[in-house]
Amino acid sequence: MAHITRGEAEDRLATWSRREIDNSDGRLRASAVAITVIHRAGVPGIWVLKRPASMRNHAAQFALPGGRLDPGETARGAALRELDEELGIALGDDAVVGVLDDYETRSGYLMTPIVCWVDGDPEITPNPDEVQNVFFVTFNDLAAAPRFISIAESDRPVIQLPIANSLVHAPTAAVIYQFAQVVLAGLKTRVYDLEQPVFAWK
């Protein structure tokens, strides 16, 4: 398991040359997700959600807390707001330790992953309209090797992460994998070329 401090995570993200996607033409819907480190009984991990089957978009898919930016809102502000709306966790900007690469989804979103850090294990209150299940995924779980498969519809590899007793796909899997690579392992891994399964294209 990777044992890193908040300071080490901040240093790795501060020296990371983040890949930004130009969305000045507004072709993509700007969104943000929160990759939130917590410590449960001293064990570090992150929250991963599963969406309800009743949702209009991305029903029953794995996700990170997040959503679209409101007018005039920053990615950091949106990630923290969505964390509060979906899990009932109110964090300040001081909880943010850095930002990973933008990821363009097949469904037309520009996803900005915001990395947050909490030293404890705060009590959560999941919003049932947006959250069916919440999984605590340890750093040790995140160290598991991903699977890469081919599909006929794309020449890009589809990533599958074996976490939460299932296989999690991109876009969620892509940004979690980059978190594990960049923050936990100190590597310089890009994920923009990792494909989503066809069911996530809409």
Side-chain angles (χ1 to χ4, degrees):
M1 184 193 318
H3 290 278
I4 66 167
T5 65
R6 172 178 175 143
E8 289 170 329
E10 288 177 320
D11 288 345
R12 289 174 178 177
L13 287 164
T15 58
W16 170 248
S17 179
R18 194 175 91 80
R19 181 178 183 269
E20 297 184 53
I21 294 175
D22 181 11
N23 193 38
S24 56
D25 59 0
R27 64 185 178 85
L28 300 171
R29 290 165 285 185
S31 66
V33 295
I35 303 175
T36 308
V37 176
I38 66 168
H39 294 77
R40 180 166 296 175
V43 177
I46 65 171
W47 287 309
V48 176
L49 316 180
K50 189 169 186 181
R51 298 300 188 192
S54 58
M55 288 192 71
R56 180 182 301 175
N57 297 315
H58 310 300
Q61 294 182 24
F62 286 95
L64 293 160
R68 292 184 67 171
L69 273 62
D70 287 342
E73 192 174 40
T74 66
R76 290 185 179 216
L80 294 173
R81 173 181 54 77
E82 292 284 353
L83 194 60
D84 192 12
E85 292 178 0
E86 295 184 4
L87 294 182
I89 298 297
L91 300 180
D93 193 61
D94 58 344
V96 175
V97 296
V99 187
L100 291 167
D101 285 353
D102 287 341
Y103 183 90
E104 181 177 344
T105 76
R106 284 283 191 172
S107 55
Y109 286 88
L110 188 161
M111 179 184 290
T112 300
I114 308 297
V115 182
C116 302
W117 194 282
V118 179
D119 287 324
D121 182 15
E123 183 176 349
I124 60 175
T125 308
N127 179 347
D129 292 334
E130 300 189 74
V131 181
Q132 176 179 305
N133 298 104
V134 181
F135 300 92
F136 174 65
V137 182
T138 68
F139 284 3
N140 189 50
D141 293 333
L142 296 179
R147 295 171 54 183
F148 297 99
I149 64 171
S150 299
I151 59 174
E153 295 83 357
S154 175
D155 58 1
R156 296 159 54 191
V158 172
I159 183 172
Q160 299 177 327
L161 286 184
I163 57 178
N165 297 313
S166 187
L167 290 175
V168 178
H169 297 83
T172 299
V175 298
I176 291 176
Y177 178 60
Q178 187 173 61
F179 168 79
Q181 291 280 292
V182 174
V183 179
L184 303 187
L187 302 175
K188 304 294 184 182
T189 304
R190 302 291 183 184
V191 296
Y192 64 88
D193 61 336
L194 297 181
E195 183 62 273
Q196 304 167 231
V198 175
F199 67 76
W201 289 21
K202 297 180 179 180

